[in-house]
Amino acid sequence: GYKGRVCTVGLVDLAARLKETDKEKDWTNPEVIAHARICDKEFPESSIVHLIAARAGLSVGDIDCSTITEYLPYVNLTRSVWDELSDVATIYGAHLETAMEKPLVFVNTEDEVQYTFDSSNVTHVRMHDLRSQYRNTIRLRWTRYREFANTELWRYSDPPVIYTSGLVPTFSFVLDGEKRAIENGGYDAHYTVKTPEGKSLAVVYAENLDSQDEFAANIVTSGPPLQVLEYDVSTRRDRAAIRLGTETNTVLLSATISGDAIAGDTSFSHYIDKPSEVALNGTVAENITTPYLSESLRDGVPYYRAFAAGLLEKLSRARKGFFLKTNRGVFHARVGAAVTVRLPDGLVCERAEIVEMELRYKAREAFHASFFLEEA
């Protein structure tokens, strides 16, 4: 009951605020990032981490980060700022924290071991295996975005179509008669691209498109020209709003839009396994889907392949977990920090990671800290 030994501590949970950003979405500003690297403090305008953080009002000076040069053509943000940043950190092995030094820390350097738990400081320890985390197969599946430069994105092909003797499609426009959809307001020309493999992909982001004058000049008719009454390629990135008109009967031979585009190849997959482990234990798979898998080369290998190989190597190993307590004032401890365990009876691990921790104070008991560790 003595109130003289009281310390009032004010805690600020910035991560909680970042988790709630999806409740205040700015629907007038599309949550899309194009042509960006994962993290680049020198060029924050094309850094995914900085652009995500900016949606929570964080500036360049608020972020302490490492440079991660992997490139992504396109990302569509659908979750809170914290969830998006957590996903990026998981895929690129970064430490994500809202720290005292900076409102946001995103660092992917491998820290040296910062503390050793041994018989001089540990009061309770329990070791267990991490068999529940065992996997012998990694399955990656995501939408792979590809870039296309100076290519045809749309060509008019709406029915009714009349074919010439040479099987060339033509489209009749009549002054006094039924109008085509493109002659009425609200017509959308959705962009698509053809891959070298002959696959048709829907475009999600187009730029450097034909101007209205270029579009009109590229219209080919057999007869009087058509009028371009509306041509909007700036409001939506994946389609154009077009309206054509005619003052007399004519036949349209072709109308096209060209430009640069990013198109999505849905359900792109990469599987990797350890045949010997599968033969021994059956398939135990980890299924991962994320928009942040890059095809940029790291040590000559596409990053998504290197990521899958590294994750499989980790999850297929027999690893140890620890729960321990100490009365030492390890106030500097942080989740994600690397530590060593050196205790009797084989309770040894050269490198483990703090995955959960608790600092507990009681009025009439000694301070104690508890930690959950996982072998790296």
Side-chain angles (χ1 to χ4, degrees):
Y2 177 59
K3 297 183 179 179
R5 298 178 181 176
V6 175
C7 176
T8 302
V9 180
L11 301 178
V12 178
D13 188 0
L14 177 59
R17 185 169 71 83
L18 298 181
K19 291 175 186 177
E20 295 175 354
T21 52
D22 59 339
K23 298 179 181 179
E24 303 175 1
K25 288 185 177 179
D26 180 6
W27 297 106
T28 63
N29 183 15
E31 300 184 2
V32 165
I33 298 173
H35 311 301
R37 300 205 291 181
I38 296 299
C39 190
D40 192 338
K41 181 182 288 188
E42 186 177 359
F43 301 101
E45 67 280 357
S46 58
S47 168
I48 290 173
V49 168
H50 289 82
L51 292 171
I52 293 174
R55 302 194 70 82
L58 299 180
S59 65
V60 177
D62 295 327
I63 303 171
D64 183 15
C65 63
S66 302
T67 296
I68 303 176
T69 59
E70 274 69 34
Y71 172 83
L72 289 172
Y74 178 88
V75 178
N76 183 24
L77 307 180
T78 60
R79 299 163 292 181
S80 70
V81 167
W82 184 256
D83 289 336
E84 296 286 357
L85 290 174
S86 297
D87 198 0
V88 180
T90 298
I91 299 302
Y92 291 90
H95 176 70
L96 176 66
E97 182 181 3
T98 54
M100 289 183 59
E101 298 84 358
K102 291 280 187 177
L104 187 68
V105 175
F106 186 93
V107 181
N108 79 328
T109 55
E110 184 172 292
D111 294 332
E112 297 180 357
V113 170
Q114 300 179 29
Y115 194 77
T116 298
F117 290 105
D118 55 29
S119 54
S120 69
N121 53 43
V122 172
T123 60
H124 172 88
V125 63
R126 184 174 70 248
M127 186 176 76
H128 56 281
D129 65 52
L130 298 177
R131 187 67 183 177
S132 63
Q133 296 185 14
Y134 171 80
R135 301 290 187 273
N136 55 37
T137 302
I138 304 296
R139 297 171 178 165
L140 306 180
R141 177 171 294 178
W142 72 103
T143 298
R144 175 197 185 201
Y145 291 102
R146 303 170 61 179
E147 295 176 287
F148 300 85
N150 192 25
T151 188
E152 182 180 293
L153 305 181
W154 175 82
R155 175 177 290 270
Y156 185 77
S157 60
D158 291 358
V161 184
I162 299 174
Y163 289 91
T164 66
S165 58
L167 296 181
V168 177
T170 65
F171 312 89
S172 298
F173 282 72
V174 295
L175 180 62
D176 298 319
E178 185 175 351
K179 298 297 181 183
R180 290 176 174 269
I182 200 170
E183 296 180 82
N184 302 318
Y187 180 87
D188 288 333
H190 292 265
Y191 307 137
T192 59
V193 293
K194 283 282 189 182
T195 69
E197 303 84 24
K199 189 175 182 180
S200 180
L201 301 179
V203 170
V204 295
Y205 190 93
E207 56 193 339
N208 302 323
L209 297 160
D210 292 338
S211 66
Q212 181 167 332
D213 289 342
E214 290 171 331
F215 172 70
N218 289 333
I219 294 177
V220 180
T221 59
S222 176
L226 290 168
Q227 298 173 304
V228 180
L229 304 178
E230 181 184 359
Y231 181 76
D232 180 6
V233 295
S234 59
T235 301
R236 304 288 291 273
R237 287 289 191 175
D238 63 342
R239 69 195 71 174
I242 302 173
R243 187 181 178 192
L244 301 179
T246 181
E247 295 180 333
T248 184
N249 296 347
T250 191
V251 175
L252 173 65
L253 300 181
S254 72
T256 62
I257 300 174
S258 296
D260 301 335
I262 301 171
D265 189 355
T266 59
S267 298
F268 185 78
S269 302
H270 175 63
Y271 296 165
I272 185 174
D273 64 11
K274 283 197 170 182
S276 59
E277 293 289 329
V278 172
L280 186 63
N281 299 301
T283 298
V284 186
E286 179 79 3
N287 298 311
I288 298 174
T289 180
T290 170
Y292 295 108
L293 290 169
S294 172
E295 295 183 63
S296 296
L297 297 182
R298 181 178 285 193
D299 298 326
V301 178
Y303 182 77
Y304 69 88
R305 291 178 177 269
F307 167 77
L311 184 62
L312 179 61
E313 192 279 329
K314 176 181 178 180
L315 297 183
S316 62
R317 283 190 287 114
R319 297 184 301 127
K320 299 187 288 285
F322 296 88
F323 171 74
L324 52 82
K325 294 182 181 180
T326 177
N327 294 123
R328 292 289 180 90
V330 285
F331 308 109
H332 58 288
R334 287 178 167 176
V335 170
V339 298
T340 292
V341 179
R342 290 178 184 159
L343 291 163
D345 302 323
L347 302 177
V348 175
C349 180
E350 289 304 316
R351 185 180 180 90
E353 180 182 339
I354 300 174
V355 295
E356 184 178 333
M357 58 177 283
E358 180 183 84
L359 307 180
R360 178 166 293 188
Y361 308 81
K362 289 188 178 180
R364 294 174 179 83
E365 295 182 17
F367 162 84
H368 77 257
S370 59
F371 296 89
F372 287 91
L373 313 177
E374 290 184 2
E375 186 175 7

